[in-house]
Amino acid sequence: MGLRTKIGIASFLLSLLWLVGLFIAFVGGRVGQHPGLPLALATTGAFCAAASGLMLTLACFPGLAENLRPVAQVAGIGATLDSAAVAWSELPWNDRIPDVLNDLELSNFLLLPSMIALLASSVLFFTRWFSNQASQKRFEPMGAVQSLFLLFRRHHRLFGWVALAFAGAHSVYFLLFPGATFAQWTGIAATALLIAVGLMGLITTYNTFLRLWTHRILAILTVLALALHWFPFLPAATAFLVVLCLAGLVHLKLVSSLVRLSEA
């Protein structure tokens, strides 16, 4: 059994423990009923550890990740159809009585998978840097961080398209009901930049310095526009990302210990 397979199996088993802890916190701790700070931190930590563990598992089994691509593609197509449905239902010449509240709830609900996909797409630069650092410092378990980088690199374009598809219903709704607010204009700017990044990836590849850096600059501007758009949530989002990185590091070290025990 190869080292990467051992890391993947250990990561999967450990992820199951994190998921069990998360389930216990939700059910036994009644998270939805205003939990205390210790329980909220434990729940967040268990969720971040489970998420990082599942990502490492997929990174160690690239064939499994490839088999999941059609699921993401179908979800993206479904989100695009939802955007078209929202646009159609709100057209002024449509005989259907617009259900503005439900359409708003739908558009806001689809933001969560959009943010997750966008985050998975935007971390490629950082995973490359971490991969290089792990190679230089012989970070254990060997090859784990590099596998994570390759996972995000293989599916980078798909993540971007899924993020755009799921953001579509939210963007379409607020374009049909405009308001002169800072949040709306930054959202429109972020959507326009995200579309530009997607179209660039559709019509060209990044095989030259100019094309690559045009893509990167557009991506950076998109992140800045989204940061301004979600400004009230920025501190919480930053704290969540820090916890996610720390939980991922703890998970990696525990996986390394499990692998060493299996070899002993």
Side-chain angles (χ1 to χ4, degrees), residues 223-240:
V223 171
L224 291 176
L226 286 171
L228 293 173
H229 182 59
W230 295 329
F231 191 75
F233 306 101
L234 198 57
T238 303
F240 174 77

Side-chain angles (χ1 to χ4, degrees), residues 79 83 107 110-111 113-114 161-172 191 194:
S83 303
S107 68
L110 293 177
L111 271 184
S114 174
W161 280 110
V162 169
L164 180 58
F166 276 98
H170 180 77
S171 303
V172 165
T191 303
L194 191 57

Side-chain angles (χ1 to χ4, degrees), residues 121-133:
S121 178
S122 61
V123 298
L124 180 62
F125 174 82
F126 298 102
T127 53
R128 180 192 293 271
W129 184 82
F130 284 125
S131 175
N132 292 336
Q133 295 299 311

Side-chain angles (χ1 to χ4, degrees), residues 56 62 74 97-98 114 141 157 182 185 192 246:
L56 179 59
V74 170
I97 299 175
S114 174
R157 185 172 297 185
F182 177 77
W185 284 113
L246 292 176

